[in-house]
């Protein structure tokens, strides 16, 4: 699993070994600014959001590390 970050937008991506993007994730307010989320409820701006491909399922996590661990766990099942 390879993780990248767009430092301008603070949006992270997770890629499989074959180079396929399996998830986009980051702080909710950053995903909103990057037009990946339509809205973020007040008080949830700092939550870590994972958007999984191919079904676009959304999950929330407390930290970036927890999000990375979650992505690795669902991908390697």
């Amino acid at each position: 699993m390879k993780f990248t970050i767009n430092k301008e937008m603070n949006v992270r991506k997770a890629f499989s070994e074959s180079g396929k993007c399996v998830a986009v994730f980051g702080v909710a307010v950053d995903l909103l600014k990057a037009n990946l989320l339509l809205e973020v409820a007040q008080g949830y701006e700092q939550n870590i959001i994972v958007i999984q491909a191919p079904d676009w399922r959304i999950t929330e996590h407390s930290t970036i590390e927890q999000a990375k661990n979650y992505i690795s766990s669902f991908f390697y099942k």
Side-chain angles (χ1 to χ4, degrees):
M1 182 79 41
K2 178 181 175 185
F3 298 99
T4 64
I5 183 169
N6 176 318
K7 292 184 181 183
E8 184 177 320
M9 299 297 288
N10 291 320
V11 173
R12 295 158 172 84
K13 292 182 182 179
F15 293 91
S16 67
E17 287 81 12
S18 65
K20 179 180 174 186
C21 182
V22 297
V24 176
F25 64 106
V27 179
V29 72
D30 292 333
L31 297 178
L32 180 67
K33 289 177 187 175
N35 293 318
L36 295 171
L37 294 176
L38 296 177
E39 64 181 324
V40 175
Q42 187 172 1
Y44 295 92
E45 297 91 351
Q46 296 305 310
N47 287 13
I48 307 302
I49 306 295
V50 174
I51 305 170
Q52 295 173 228
D55 61 359
W56 309 114
R57 185 174 0 155
I58 296 175
T59 57
E60 294 183 48
H61 305 273
S62 301
T63 66
I64 291 292
E65 282 307 312
Q66 285 179 349
K68 286 180 176 181
N69 290 337
Y70 172 75
I71 293 166
S72 293
S73 73
F74 82 73
F75 183 73
Y76 290 115
K77 280 187 179 178

